[in-house]
Amino acid sequence: MTDTADETDIIDGHAVAADIIDGNAVAADVRGAVAGHVETLEAAGVTPGLATVLMSDDPASETYVSMKQRDCEEVGIEGIHVEIDADAPASELYETIDDLNERDDVHGVLVQLPLPDHVDKRSVIRRIAPEKDVDGFHPENVGRLVAGDARFKPCTPHGVQKLLAAYDVETEGADAVVVGRSDIVGKPMANLLIQKGPLGNATTTVCHSRTEDLAGKLADADIVVAAVGIPEFIDGSMLKAGATVIDVGINRVDADTEKGYELVGDVEYDSAREVAGAITPVPGGVGPMTRAMLLYNTVKAAGIQHDVEIDLD
Ligand code: NAD
């Protein structure tokens, strides 16, 4: 998928050169491939199953989980959903995970984060069987990723890798800056970019809340991955001309819209677009890729658990 808007556009009198990286289109390609893998699994007598567990009253978490279930249905993955009262004891969640770990029809187990304060997130992540940990957060899977032998790459950074590949962005020898060091985005992203091999081999700097001179680091970056959680934190003046800018951020800001808000990224899109060589929009960039890679990890899990060969790239 290399179909890009490479003609220079004029917006508000400015020349805009950046290619817009279309996450919806790349995600549709991934979902199409996953649907094919589901058929391969079905032919071998296996229906892949993904269990989602929700222990939260947060409407955003409820929305995320229902989107994941809808995505499953669309590609032929069996969705199993369990809801646990947010006030229930942590033991109830542990027992649910133990049951799902045992079930032969469940190949992936995803516990929606964040969890209530009385539940220890680390213990929950460790409780999920590593071979069903389709989020890729279990220490065994984190260790394998760092060692260059990934089983399940975490969905967001894996999705970013797929976007870079789809748009032929050269990572080998590139100077990459990852802004953010979270366990779910920043750290695994940096680990993927430094791996020896295709889609890796980048010279990678990880910036975070204690970084001094972020602007100086960004000024030399060929690839910027922003995962900060601060609306429009990085603007065009901080970027190197021609850089590839991947905006992971999803931030709600008040706006005069029907819902009373709009979604913006961690990058100020309009100014960045004038400088960057390629950029992901928000929404429609990384978000759809995260969802698609969860489906990818689920068919991968089913293939591993039933010893069915599926041709995943
Ligand atoms: P997080 O809050 O866990 O981590 C934010 C990181 O930003 C931290 O590591 C912190 O050190 C860094 N940071 C904070 N202030 C900084 C500063 N002034 N300078 C440099 N770094 C600074 O967040 P997260 O879970 O990694 O998510 C980041 C953003 O990505 C959020 O907007 C989140 O909603 C979004 N997100 C999107 C997807 C997706 O699918 N598109 C997936 C996960 C997260």
Side-chain angles (χ1 to χ4, degrees), residues 64 155-156 179-186 207-211 214 226-230 233 247-251 264-266 285-291:
Y64 288 142
C155 300
T156 300
V179 192
R181 57 174 162 186
S182 69
D183 292 340
I184 64 169
V185 190
C207 296
H208 48 75
S209 53
R210 306 296 172 89
T211 295
L214 174 68
V228 191
I230 302 175
F233 179 65
D247 190 353
V248 178
I250 303 178
N251 308 291
V264 299
D266 291 344
V286 177
M289 293 305 296
T290 298
R291 290 167 60 183

